[in-house]
Amino acid sequence: MSRTPFPSGSSELPLPSAVYANDHLAAEDRFDHWRTLLGSTHAPMDLCSERADDFRARQRVIGLGDVTVWPAAFPPVLFRRTDRLIRQSDPESYHLTLMLRGSGEAAWRDRTLRTSPGTFHTSDSSRPVEIRSSAEKGRILMIGVEVPKAVLPLPRKLADRAVGLPIRDDQGVGALLTHFLRQLVRNLPEYRLADGPRLGAVVADLTAAVLAQVSNDERALPQHSHRRTTALRVKAFIEQNLGDPALTPSLVAAAHHVSTSHLHRLFRDEGVTVGALIRQRRLARARAELADPRRADEPINVVAARWCLTAAEFSRSFRGAYGMTPSEYRQMAAHRAHGG
């Protein structure tokens, strides 16, 4: 087991995160280690696997206040959550699995759900279930989400109805949750301890929105969840259209069937205007391309134009955002890439 080290300054503490791996254990001990680990990060389960004699698994547990996100990689396995285990211990939480590689089948008393990349798997720690996972090659790759029922902003009966229903991870709110989870895991070192509760609230809101959507009752979401979900939809739309010179707050508002004034009110809580967000994200895209060695010979004004920025505007805005000119940043990035 290895844990992420924390720096001394409290304002610089990273998100609570621990990595658990069993490579260091004897082959015959690895499966029992994994079973015990899942019992603490999810809920007690009966597990069996054809690979139990040498079960190499890895899991990162990320704490976001009350919500937990855990990316994991492991061989095919059969999970059983029984009435006996529920009576023994029930964290009373909803679980979502984003499958990145592999497939599975979850069976409840009243329904069965096949899952694979493209479909979320949902479960309820208070309900018996059998989950069988498989992978043609290598290990299952997934991102798990645990949201306590007490903090999910959705009526319990509605959330319960949604468990076991197929949820696409590339459409609607499911696509927003997929993007958010992938980005969270990919950019984990960038987040600080103070970001945890806010990120956890976003995950809880998106989870509630996904369950409400699949139940065809999005009206049950509280107003603050609607606002957060709409803001994430807007951000995703902006990200997908940064190269369009016609991208303006008015176009964004029209695409989401709201007035421009409503859009500005929506982003008041985000601490940035829509226009400023568009400029920030275009600068960030251009900055990434300046550091890309494959584009080292591309003129800076061409990079700027691709993200709808004039050369003069780009230089001024870049210096204001990053404290150096675009050419200075490119030189610094090249120097670092060559081990300088």
Side-chain angles (χ1 to χ4, degrees), residues 172-208:
V173 186
L176 289 177
L177 180 56
T178 298
H179 175 75
F180 188 87
L181 293 175
R182 284 178 172 271
Q183 185 179 49
L184 171 68
V185 173
R186 183 172 58 248
N187 299 335
L188 185 61
E190 299 178 12
Y191 299 113
R192 304 293 92 190
L193 178 63
D195 297 324
R198 176 182 60 83
L199 294 171
V202 172
V203 173
D205 282 333
L206 284 174
T207 299

Side-chain angles (χ1 to χ4, degrees), residues 229-246:
T229 304
T230 302
L232 286 168
R233 281 195 178 108
V234 168
K235 288 178 180 178
F237 177 84
I238 288 172
E239 203 69 29
Q240 294 164 6
N241 292 277
L242 288 171
D244 182 356

Side-chain angles (χ1 to χ4, degrees), residues 264-282:
H264 288 314
R265 286 196 301 273
L266 179 68
F267 271 74
R268 193 174 298 153
D269 294 337
E270 300 291 316
V272 63
T273 66
V274 178
L277 178 63
I278 293 171
R279 290 191 296 273
Q280 289 174 6
R281 296 306 304 148
R282 282 172 169 166

Side-chain angles (χ1 to χ4, degrees), residues 141-165:
L141 296 181
M142 50 80 74
I143 301 175
V145 177
E146 302 288 338
V147 181
K149 295 179 180 180
V151 305
L152 187 76
L154 195 68
R156 184 94 40 110
K157 289 183 178 180
L158 182 61
D160 287 345
R161 288 206 309 268
V163 170
L165 297 177

Side-chain angles (χ1 to χ4, degrees), residues 42-273:
H42 178 52
M45 288 178 285
D46 287 332
L47 273 67
C48 60
S49 173
E50 295 178 355
R51 304 271 293 278
D53 57 337
D54 187 8
F55 196 88
R56 295 175 182 267
R58 178 182 176 86
Q59 178 188 55
R60 179 183 289 277
V61 179
I62 306 167
L64 305 175
D66 294 317
V67 174
T68 303
V69 173
W70 48 282
F74 51 91
V77 67
L78 173 65
F79 305 87
R80 288 192 184 95
R81 179 91 171 130
T82 64
D83 288 317
R84 176 183 60 81
L85 291 172
I86 292 170
R87 289 193 299 269
Q88 174 185 323
S89 176
D90 184 7
E92 296 197 359
S93 62
Y94 294 108
H95 172 82
L96 273 76
T97 297
L98 173 61
M99 295 289 286
L100 303 179
R101 186 173 72 197
S103 60
E105 182 177 281
W108 295 265
R109 287 169 179 156
D110 60 343
R111 66 186 61 170
T112 299
L113 173 67
R114 289 186 173 274
T115 63
S116 61
T119 306
F120 275 104
H121 155 240
T122 60
S123 61
D124 174 355
S125 67
S126 306
R127 191 182 306 186
V129 65
E130 179 177 291
I131 304 170
R132 187 182 302 273
S133 61
S134 60
E136 292 183 5
K137 296 181 180 179
R139 299 184 292 180
I140 305 292
L141 296 181
M142 50 80 74
I143 301 175
V145 177
E146 302 288 338
V147 181
K149 295 179 180 180
V151 305
L152 187 76
L154 195 68
R156 184 94 40 110
K157 289 183 178 180
L158 182 61
D160 287 345
R161 288 206 309 268
V163 170
L165 297 177
I167 300 172
R168 292 295 302 266
D169 66 15
D170 59 353
Q171 296 177 1
V173 186
L176 289 177
L177 180 56
T178 298
H179 175 75
F180 188 87
L181 293 175
R182 284 178 172 271
Q183 185 179 49
L184 171 68
V185 173
R186 183 172 58 248
N187 299 335
L188 185 61
E190 299 178 12
Y191 299 113
R192 304 293 92 190
L193 178 63
D195 297 324
R198 176 182 60 83
L199 294 171
V202 172
V203 173
D205 282 333
L206 284 174
T207 299
V210 162
L211 297 178
Q213 185 180 62
V214 76
S215 298
N216 296 315
D217 198 352
E218 293 184 75
R219 294 171 300 176
L221 285 173
Q223 192 61 36
H224 70 82
S225 293
H226 271 298
R227 287 197 301 270
R228 280 201 181 111
T229 304
T230 302
L232 286 168
R233 281 195 178 108
V234 168
K235 288 178 180 178
F237 177 84
I238 288 172
E239 203 69 29
Q240 294 164 6
N241 292 277
L242 288 171
D244 182 356
L247 184 66
T248 62
S250 297
L251 184 144
V252 173
H256 292 82
H257 310 291
V258 299
S259 67
T260 305
S261 59
H262 179 83
L263 183 68
H264 288 314
R265 286 196 301 273
L266 179 68
F267 271 74
R268 193 174 298 153
D269 294 337
E270 300 291 316
V272 63
T273 66

